[in-house]
Amino acid sequence: MARSNEVKLNECKMAVSLNTWVLISNFKLAYNLLRRPDGTFNRHLAEFLDRKVPANANPVDGVFSFDVLIDRGTSLLSRIYRPATAEEPQPNIAELEKLVTAEVVPVIIFFHGGSFAHSSANSAIYDTLCRRLVSLCKAVVVSVNYRRAPENRYPCAYDDGWTALKWVNSRPWLQSQKDSKVHIYLAGDSSGGNIAHHVALRAIESGIDVLGNILLNPMFGGQERTESEKRLDGKYCVTLRDRDWYWRAYLPEGEDRDHPACNPFGPNGRSLEGIKFPKSLVVVAGLHLIQDWQLAYVEGLKKAGQEVKLLYMEQATIGFFLLPNSNHFHTVTDEISKFVSSDCIKTIGERIMQCIGALLCVDYVCLFKCFLG
Amino acid sequence: MLRYDSTSSSAGSSSGSLSSSSSSSKPPQQDIDGLLAGAGYKVRSSELRQVAQRLERLETAMGNSPADFSQLASDAILYNPSDLVCWVDSLLTEFAEPPPTCSSDFIVDPVNNQTVVNSAWTTAEPHTPQVHQNITYDEQQSLDNQLTVVTAMEEDSGIRLVHMLMTCAECVQSGDLSLATSLIGDMQGLLTHVNTVCGIGKVAGHFIDALSRRIFQGMGGGSVNGGSAFENEILHHHFYEACPYLKFAHFTANQAILEAFDGHDCVHVVDFNLMHGLQWPALIQALALRPGGPPLLRLTGIGPPSPDGRDSLREIGLRLAELARSVNVRFAFRGVAASRLEDVKPWMLQVNPKEAVAVNSIMQLHRLLGSEQTRNSPIDTVLSWIRGLNPKIMTVVEQEANHNQPGFLDRFTEALYYYSTMFDSLEACRVQPEKALAEIYIQREIGNVVSCEGSARVERHEPLAKWRRRLSGAGFRALHLGSNAFKQASMLLTLFSAEGYSVEENEGCLSLGWHSRPLIAASAWQAVPAWDNHMSSS
């Protein structure tokens, strides 16, 4: 038993650098302390262990942040990150909600990870990540402090995401100069990626435009045990047992993992054919055991004629994008930057191609390239 | 058992030698791994390998009996998760064998019993340029540049009001009093259109008043804090009832004092501001229930002299003695009347060398910070004699705010957001007159921060990071508050119906805040033994 644990450890060590290994191992260990076999969660210890940082209205490396109470009833806070502009390197405190000045400013609504149970918008790792996103995409980032499981099950996290989306969409100061509309992207890591998908669905139903979804290692699953789950169970800091625990904690009691929240294209899922779903960038870590479900998600989008780009990072483990010290990290950040900025140059021609692509259930990107010759 | 700050020793947990100077209690900043610092962890690059090995040991130990761990975690007391070396060691102590006494780059392969070079990570170092991998971790800079804002959506007039407040403060700073005066008038007009029941409208009114006083009455401002001691005590009592800040302070300090007094039969608590003695019934009762029986408890309460001949200190002492008698705790009380804390001399406290001493300061130390940083300023004098008492513990609770900045505009801005957050939290209180009087209590603080200067300005709050530096420099080391104190503080909060309060752990200290903004911070300290100063560095 000890021997096979050692083998798994060594494999993980060879895939990542030392400080990344220390970070994800520390998380894994800490998380093991928090999940109880009876399905309850040691929330006090979780909050004690979580490293948090306050918002800072003074720019640091060109980014400043402040917290906003979006909904008093549920104490829903979000942390807003904005770039300090060249004209105004030191923002006036009274003007934190000043109008964005650029022609087009992407607003990225970010949902942190933690498998629905861990972390907060003010967790240090996510504060750092959101600041990077601001610089990378010249965007405003809104990090939502959604309610967590097991105290708050489905659909609380989606409800909070939806509240945040409506709030963002209705802020005059977030509208781009070009068209007086808020240019919204949804992004998330792990459970946050799952939330982004479901919030996008609600957006479509209500006629709110979402320009794109960025799903970093999104959390999906299903009843069946897939090949990658069997092959990678216990390796690279993730186990099937912990995945099952988190789904049991989030899904309504008595539901199994084919519930559409967990398995959106499964037996209880719905087809997205004919629906104007936002384009998606899906990043899959090749050493993560849930990748078969993530790949199935991508397939599900493609089959429904939706625009999706898959970034399969073969040698990446969970949490690889938390520290900027790997090739995977830089590849992914480059793609995110392109994904968000490409919106600015959408032409009529591109929009036509998108419709044709959807009708023919063809990968839009390929078709466009063919059209250009 | 309380843990002390291991960073005050030059080697990690493995060696016993202590650093030579009492003033340097932090590792050289350049060696801290910059990337992990961004994730909230402080660990030296040179120690990463050691931490990794210990994580591996824990991994193996946990692999053998995973279900036990969550149970063990519920019972274990854990400390300072930011200090990875300490944190991992404490986990090992709880869950596995203690760590080895010397760090090594070799692990013994348990199956083959051969020494294996543990170099797995070296081959995996990426070839991308590692820019800022070990950035110079400048804590000083990040500390001085912090401004935390939590805001709810305000209507336009609210935003305009904030704008005008800032402009007015700027005028005051630059000396343009005529513009400042006309702005006061405009703001008072605007107030009638803004919701003054909650949010920025409520707190704006108090700031306008304070600015007005500063402009028109000069900065003596004696009248602001000029309520009688009796009045102040009443307001303080209602602030205690209306919101959890003082309860948290008392509760957390008592926890730490209780632990520090473990095993001692004669204990002496020195309270720097007795007020109505609200903190002490709980400690007396906890001591009464102590396994092995209660110690002899002496309490010395410091407070202002009563003008009307009453000995209010003694009255409080009598009441506490009554309580102690009812739970069979031998108790003695002594009152020390002093208008200012710096007037107290250690001999007045009559500390017995055989007793374990706890010095308790709830929002008092900041009053000793004068406007000039002279060599023997009151804070230095007082900290020095506290150290001379060699207390088992010194509990310090302070407002988590930067209200002692020299620049008026900076101070004003910080105070505006600090107090609007605090007022916001008070909205949850439904009880009157507690709420109204608590608001007056806070209002007086605002008045002092904004409209007073020099010796009249006593509300010189400084953030925890500054206190850490100051106290370390004065020969104290931090005693870490652990996960049990955290949990109990969190549970205390659930007794309050308001959802927005949260307890946070910050390198061994606990803070209580509203909506992610810490407002009050509690820490515990011990004097570094004097003989450490004579040891040479290794």
Side-chain angles (χ1 to χ4, degrees), chain A residues 28-29 51 57 67 128 327, chain B residues 38 59 62 128 145 147 505 516:
Chain A
K28 182 181 80 160
L29 268 166
R51 305 291 83 205
D67 292 335
T128 303
N327 291 323
Chain B
E59 167 84 43
M62 278 172 131
T128 50
N145 226 10
L147 175 62
E505 190 278 348
S516 84

Side-chain angles (χ1 to χ4, degrees), chain B residues 177-192:
Chain B
L177 295 185
S178 64
L179 179 53
T181 308
S182 84
L183 279 167
I184 297 277
D186 293 342
M187 288 193 284
Q188 277 162 344
L190 196 52
L191 259 185
T192 59

Side-chain angles (χ1 to χ4, degrees), chain A residues 90-124:
Chain A
Q90 180 74 34
N92 186 328
I93 295 312
E95 293 175 336
L96 293 173
E97 290 155 13
K98 192 175 160 175
L99 293 177
V100 296
T101 48
E103 268 289 288
V104 175
V105 175
V107 179
I108 302 175
I109 303 180
F110 180 79
F111 302 101
H112 66 81
S115 307
F116 292 105
H118 299 280
S119 295
S120 307
N122 61 346
S123 295

Side-chain angles (χ1 to χ4, degrees), chain B residues 25 50 88 109 193 273 293 297 327 400 457 467 470 489 503:
Chain B
S25 53
Q50 177 189 330
V88 173
D109 181 326
H193 299 296
N273 189 24
L297 169 66
V327 292
E400 183 59 9
R457 177 154 62 93
W467 283 110
R470 199 184 280 282
V503 183

Side-chain angles (χ1 to χ4, degrees), chain A residues 1-3 5-6 9 13-14 16-19 21-23 25-29 32-33 35-37 42 44-45 47-49 51-52 54-59 66-69 72 75 77 79 92-97 122 124-125 128 167 171 241 323-327 330, chain B residues 33 35-36 38-41 48-49 51-52 55-56 58-59 62-63 66 69-70 73-74 78 81-82 84 87 91 95 109-111 118 120-121 124 126 128 133 145-153 159 162-163 413 417 424 482-483 486-487 490-491 499-500 504-505 515-516:
Chain A
M1 191 56 165
R3 184 72 179 139
N5 275 344
E6 223 180 87
L9 278 175
K13 279 186 324 198
M14 290 194 286
V16 296
S17 63
L18 182 54
N19 45 13
W21 194 91
V22 165
L23 186 67
S25 298
N26 188 48
F27 274 125
K28 182 181 80 160
L29 268 166
N32 282 346
L33 298 177
R35 295 187 303 267
R36 298 199 192 100
N42 193 339
H44 294 301
L45 188 55
E47 293 305 295
F48 174 77
L49 295 178
R51 305 291 83 205
K52 297 183 202 272
N56 193 351
N58 289 325
F66 57 98
D67 292 335
V68 180
L69 185 62
R72 255 180 213 276
S75 287
L77 279 170
R79 182 162 290 181
N92 186 328
I93 295 312
E95 293 175 336
L96 293 173
E97 290 155 13
N122 61 346
I125 46 170
T128 303
W167 182 89
R171 295 307 104 191
R241 191 172 53 213
L323 297 183
N325 58 359
S326 66
N327 291 323
H330 295 292
Chain B
D33 183 288
L35 293 182
L36 288 177
Y41 297 101
L48 269 178
R49 207 163 278 279
V51 171
L55 282 169
E56 273 187 286
L58 266 169
E59 167 84 43
M62 278 172 131
F69 276 90
S70 55
S74 290
L78 304 165
S82 279
L84 268 184
W87 156 249
L91 280 179
F95 301 140
D109 181 326
V111 172
N118 186 11
W121 291 289
T128 50
Q133 168 82 347
N145 226 10
Q146 185 73 37
L147 175 62
T148 304
V149 173
V150 183
T151 177
M153 279 317 297
I159 295 173
V162 170
H163 213 295
T413 307
Y417 281 99
D424 205 37
S483 55
F486 181 95
K487 176 176 173 178
S490 295
M491 282 166 55
E499 274 278 311
E504 278 181 26
E505 190 278 348
H515 285 153
S516 84

